[in-house]
């Protein structure tokens, strides 16, 4: 679909009440769950607004607790650090893992193998 032609959900009267995320995309994500059959407009609006507020909170927390304050930017590493360091966001650690160099990963993998071998020898 063209970026210039909004979906019918986005054209509904009052549906854009301060929303930035496209309601049609949120509906699509919600409908991807096998447990969801019908979505009423109020639930869709509230889910969209809550998602926007969560993303804003995550971005602000990541910016304030990361290196973004110094560089006036928000980076992936700021988001990953927030997911790891701030208890509220720890459920995101699988989605936002800290980046690691391949050589560092291979080194830690080798150390884990050595520790497992030592444990098996005991």
């Amino acid at each position: 679909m063209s970026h210039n032609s909004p979906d019918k959900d986005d054209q509904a009267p009052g549906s854009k009440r301060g929303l930035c995320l496209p309601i049609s995309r949120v509906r699509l994500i919600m409908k991807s769950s096998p447990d969801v059959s019908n979505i009423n407009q109020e639930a869709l609006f509230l889910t969209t607004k809550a998602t926007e507020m969560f993303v804003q909170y995550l971005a602000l927390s990541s910016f304030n607790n990361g290196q973004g304050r110094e560089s006036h930017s928000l980076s992936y590493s700021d988001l990953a650090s927030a997911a790891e360091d701030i208890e509220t966001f720890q459920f995101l650690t699988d989605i936002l893992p800290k980046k690691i160099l391949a050589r560092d990963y291979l080194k830690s993998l080798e150390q884990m193998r050595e520790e497992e071998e030592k444990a098996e020898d005991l």
Side-chain angles (χ1 to χ4, degrees), residues 7-108:
D7 293 328
K8 68 176 183 164
D9 290 335
D10 295 337
Q11 294 176 348
S15 69
K16 284 196 169 191
R17 292 172 260 182
L19 295 178
C20 296
L21 293 175
I23 290 178
S24 59
R25 299 293 179 176
V26 175
R27 176 191 300 276
L28 186 66
I29 293 168
M30 291 173 72
K31 282 194 167 191
S32 70
S33 171
D35 299 330
V36 175
S37 57
N38 289 332
I39 304 167
N40 72 29
Q41 290 298 322
E42 291 83 17
L44 181 60
F45 173 79
L46 290 173
T47 301
T48 305
K49 190 65 178 175
T51 302
E52 287 182 2
M53 292 173 69
F54 174 76
V55 170
Q56 183 178 22
Y57 181 60
L58 172 62
L60 285 172
S61 297
S62 300
F63 180 82
N64 289 332
N65 293 311
Q67 297 174 356
R69 297 176 93 181
E70 299 164 9
S71 63
H72 299 291
S73 64
L74 181 63
S75 68
Y76 177 88
S77 62
D78 294 333
L79 292 167
S81 293
E84 188 173 296
D85 299 339
I86 302 172
E87 186 176 347
T88 305
F89 302 123
Q90 287 182 348
F91 72 98
L92 295 171
T93 54
D94 291 340
I95 298 168
L96 293 168
K98 284 197 171 192
K99 288 185 178 179
I100 184 171
L101 296 175
R103 69 173 175 259
D104 295 338
Y105 175 74
L106 292 173
K107 187 186 295 183
S108 67

Side-chain angles (χ1 to χ4, degrees), residues 105-118:
Y105 175 74
L106 292 173
K107 187 186 295 183
S108 67
L109 192 59
E110 184 62 34
Q111 288 174 348
M112 287 173 37
R113 286 183 185 150
E114 289 173 3
E115 289 173 8
E116 287 178 3
E117 288 174 3
K118 286 179 184 176

